[in-house]
Structure formats: structure tokens, C-alpha cells
Amino acid sequence: MTQDATDRSETDRLREEVAEARHHLLTVQDHIVGLEAENGRLNRDLTRVTMELRQQIKRSRRMTQQRDEARARLAELRSRLAVARARLAEVEQPRASVARRVARRVRGALR
């Protein structure tokens, strides 16, 4: 083999290595671009989910406050209802005649 042929084969081999290195570099750059795009999408999704979480926390707090207010109103209404029922029962009780009530008071005072 001549020196010229050896130089050409060495040149061809080096060109192939350079071509492989360039192909590998392009592949790596493509993966980097893809990862950056995915990272951007994930950051966007994270921001959206974080905003939704804040809204749901506020909504939950409002609903908890409304529940507590409703429970307080319910407790007040139940106590008012109990008072009203007691008063109703008292009013609906058949009253003794005036004569019997006077007699009962007199007896109680004499004891």
C-alpha cells in the first residue's frame, strides 16, 4: 500500500468518526430540547395545579366557616324550639278552675 492510500483510508476513517460524533451530538441536542420542552410543560402544569390548590383551600375555608355558622344557627334554633315547645306545653295544659286554684293557694299558705 502506498502512503497516499494509507492517508486516504486514515482520512476516510477520521471523516466517519467526525460524522458519527456530529450525529451523536445532534441526537444529544435533540434529547436536550425535548427535555427542556417537557420541563416547561411540567412547570406550567405545576403552576396551574398550585393555583387550583390555592383556590380549593380558600373554598374549603369558606365552606368550613359556613358550616360552623350553620351549626351555630341550628343550635340557637334548637334551643329556641325547646323553649317554644315548653311554653306551648305550658299553655296547652288544662288549667284548673279559678276556685280550685284559689283553694290550692289557701291550703298552701296554711301549711
Side-chain angles (χ1 to χ4, degrees), residues 4 11 19-20 23 30 33 74 81 84 86 89 95 101 108:
D4 193 32
T11 304
E20 285 180 27
H23 177 72
D30 187 46
V33 168
L74 179 62
L81 179 62
R95 293 189 65 156
R101 284 184 285 173

mmCIF file of all heavy atoms in Angstrom, residues 4 11 19-20 23 30 33 74 81 84 86 89 95 101 108:
data_model
loop_
_atom_site.group_PDB
_atom_site.id
_atom_site.type_symbol
_atom_site.label_atom_id
_atom_site.label_comp_id
_atom_site.label_asym_id
_atom_site.label_seq_id
_atom_site.Cartn_x
_atom_site.Cartn_y
_atom_site.Cartn_z
ATOM 1 N N ASP A 4 -0.020 7.324 -0.011
ATOM 2 C CA ASP A 4 -1.204 8.090 -0.417
ATOM 3 C C ASP A 4 -2.491 7.337 -0.062
ATOM 4 O O ASP A 4 -3.450 7.919 0.430
ATOM 5 C CB ASP A 4 -1.115 8.358 -1.922
ATOM 6 C CG ASP A 4 -2.115 9.405 -2.371
ATOM 7 O OD1 ASP A 4 -2.409 10.323 -1.561
ATOM 8 O OD2 ASP A 4 -2.627 9.304 -3.496
ATOM 9 N N THR A 11 -7.928 9.261 6.409
ATOM 10 C CA THR A 11 -8.809 10.414 6.245
ATOM 11 C C THR A 11 -10.266 9.959 6.233
ATOM 12 O O THR A 11 -11.132 10.572 6.877
ATOM 13 C CB THR A 11 -8.474 11.159 4.937
ATOM 14 O OG1 THR A 11 -7.095 11.527 4.950
ATOM 15 C CG2 THR A 11 -9.312 12.401 4.792
ATOM 16 N N ALA A 19 -18.337 12.272 11.429
ATOM 17 C CA ALA A 19 -19.751 12.154 11.092
ATOM 18 C C ALA A 19 -20.522 11.487 12.239
ATOM 19 O O ALA A 19 -21.630 11.925 12.600
ATOM 20 C CB ALA A 19 -19.920 11.367 9.795
ATOM 21 N N GLU A 20 -19.954 10.429 12.827
ATOM 22 C CA GLU A 20 -20.611 9.765 13.973
ATOM 23 C C GLU A 20 -20.711 10.718 15.155
ATOM 24 O O GLU A 20 -21.726 10.758 15.847
ATOM 25 C CB GLU A 20 -19.833 8.512 14.353
ATOM 26 C CG GLU A 20 -20.024 7.344 13.407
ATOM 27 C CD GLU A 20 -19.222 6.115 13.835
ATOM 28 O OE1 GLU A 20 -18.952 5.975 15.052
ATOM 29 O OE2 GLU A 20 -18.885 5.319 12.971
ATOM 30 N N HIS A 23 -23.425 13.204 14.471
ATOM 31 C CA HIS A 23 -24.730 12.551 14.625
ATOM 32 C C HIS A 23 -25.056 12.375 16.107
ATOM 33 O O HIS A 23 -26.187 12.659 16.547
ATOM 34 C CB HIS A 23 -24.731 11.192 13.918
ATOM 35 C CG HIS A 23 -26.013 10.447 14.090
ATOM 36 N ND1 HIS A 23 -27.179 10.825 13.459
ATOM 37 C CD2 HIS A 23 -26.333 9.362 14.854
ATOM 38 C CE1 HIS A 23 -28.152 10.000 13.808
ATOM 39 N NE2 HIS A 23 -27.652 9.099 14.656
ATOM 40 N N ASP A 30 -30.998 17.039 20.468
ATOM 41 C CA ASP A 30 -32.431 16.783 20.297
ATOM 42 C C ASP A 30 -33.049 16.321 21.616
ATOM 43 O O ASP A 30 -34.139 16.757 21.993
ATOM 44 C CB ASP A 30 -32.643 15.742 19.197
ATOM 45 C CG ASP A 30 -34.107 15.564 18.859
ATOM 46 O OD1 ASP A 30 -34.795 16.590 18.704
ATOM 47 O OD2 ASP A 30 -34.550 14.406 18.730
ATOM 48 N N VAL A 33 -33.359 19.346 23.907
ATOM 49 C CA VAL A 33 -34.504 20.178 23.533
ATOM 50 C C VAL A 33 -35.807 19.528 24.014
ATOM 51 O O VAL A 33 -36.695 20.194 24.558
ATOM 52 C CB VAL A 33 -34.523 20.424 22.011
ATOM 53 C CG1 VAL A 33 -35.838 21.034 21.572
ATOM 54 C CG2 VAL A 33 -33.361 21.302 21.594
ATOM 55 N N LEU A 74 -78.207 26.450 63.898
ATOM 56 C CA LEU A 74 -79.004 25.274 64.232
ATOM 57 C C LEU A 74 -79.114 25.109 65.752
ATOM 58 O O LEU A 74 -80.202 24.839 66.280
ATOM 59 C CB LEU A 74 -78.400 24.021 63.602
ATOM 60 C CG LEU A 74 -79.106 22.703 63.875
ATOM 61 C CD1 LEU A 74 -80.524 22.743 63.315
ATOM 62 C CD2 LEU A 74 -78.325 21.549 63.276
ATOM 63 N N LEU A 81 -86.505 26.452 69.870
ATOM 64 C CA LEU A 81 -87.594 25.491 69.682
ATOM 65 C C LEU A 81 -87.933 24.797 71.001
ATOM 66 O O LEU A 81 -89.121 24.595 71.313
ATOM 67 C CB LEU A 81 -87.218 24.464 68.617
ATOM 68 C CG LEU A 81 -88.235 23.370 68.323
ATOM 69 C CD1 LEU A 81 -89.529 23.991 67.796
ATOM 70 C CD2 LEU A 81 -87.665 22.371 67.320
ATOM 71 N N ALA A 84 -89.885 27.208 72.998
ATOM 72 C CA ALA A 84 -91.227 27.360 72.440
ATOM 73 C C ALA A 84 -92.085 26.132 72.742
ATOM 74 O O ALA A 84 -93.270 26.265 73.071
ATOM 75 C CB ALA A 84 -91.141 27.588 70.932
ATOM 76 N N ALA A 86 -91.728 24.097 75.295
ATOM 77 C CA ALA A 86 -92.053 24.117 76.732
ATOM 78 C C ALA A 86 -93.184 25.111 77.001
ATOM 79 O O ALA A 86 -94.116 24.815 77.762
ATOM 80 C CB ALA A 86 -90.818 24.484 77.544
ATOM 81 N N ALA A 89 -96.398 23.631 75.698
ATOM 82 C CA ALA A 89 -96.920 22.600 76.600
ATOM 83 C C ALA A 89 -97.558 23.244 77.830
ATOM 84 O O ALA A 89 -98.597 22.783 78.323
ATOM 85 C CB ALA A 89 -95.787 21.664 77.018
ATOM 86 N N ARG A 95 -106.085 24.232 82.512
ATOM 87 C CA ARG A 95 -105.942 24.939 83.780
ATOM 88 C C ARG A 95 -107.112 24.595 84.697
ATOM 89 O O ARG A 95 -108.241 24.416 84.264
ATOM 90 C CB ARG A 95 -105.906 26.436 83.537
ATOM 91 C CG ARG A 95 -104.641 26.821 82.785
ATOM 92 C CD ARG A 95 -104.487 28.275 82.743
ATOM 93 N NE ARG A 95 -104.281 28.773 84.102
ATOM 94 C CZ ARG A 95 -103.672 29.896 84.372
ATOM 95 N NH1 ARG A 95 -103.213 30.633 83.404
ATOM 96 N NH2 ARG A 95 -103.548 30.316 85.598
ATOM 97 N N ARG A 101 -107.863 26.857 91.984
ATOM 98 C CA ARG A 101 -106.555 27.487 92.146
ATOM 99 C C ARG A 101 -106.495 28.294 93.442
ATOM 100 O O ARG A 101 -105.513 28.264 94.174
ATOM 101 C CB ARG A 101 -106.245 28.392 90.933
ATOM 102 C CG ARG A 101 -105.851 27.570 89.714
ATOM 103 C CD ARG A 101 -105.452 28.451 88.571
ATOM 104 N NE ARG A 101 -106.681 29.028 88.003
ATOM 105 C CZ ARG A 101 -106.741 29.945 87.081
ATOM 106 N NH1 ARG A 101 -105.636 30.433 86.572
ATOM 107 N NH2 ARG A 101 -107.887 30.402 86.624
ATOM 108 N N GLY A 108 -101.985 25.912 100.579
ATOM 109 C CA GLY A 108 -100.533 26.022 100.636
ATOM 110 C C GLY A 108 -100.089 27.069 101.626
ATOM 111 O O GLY A 108 -99.091 26.899 102.333
#
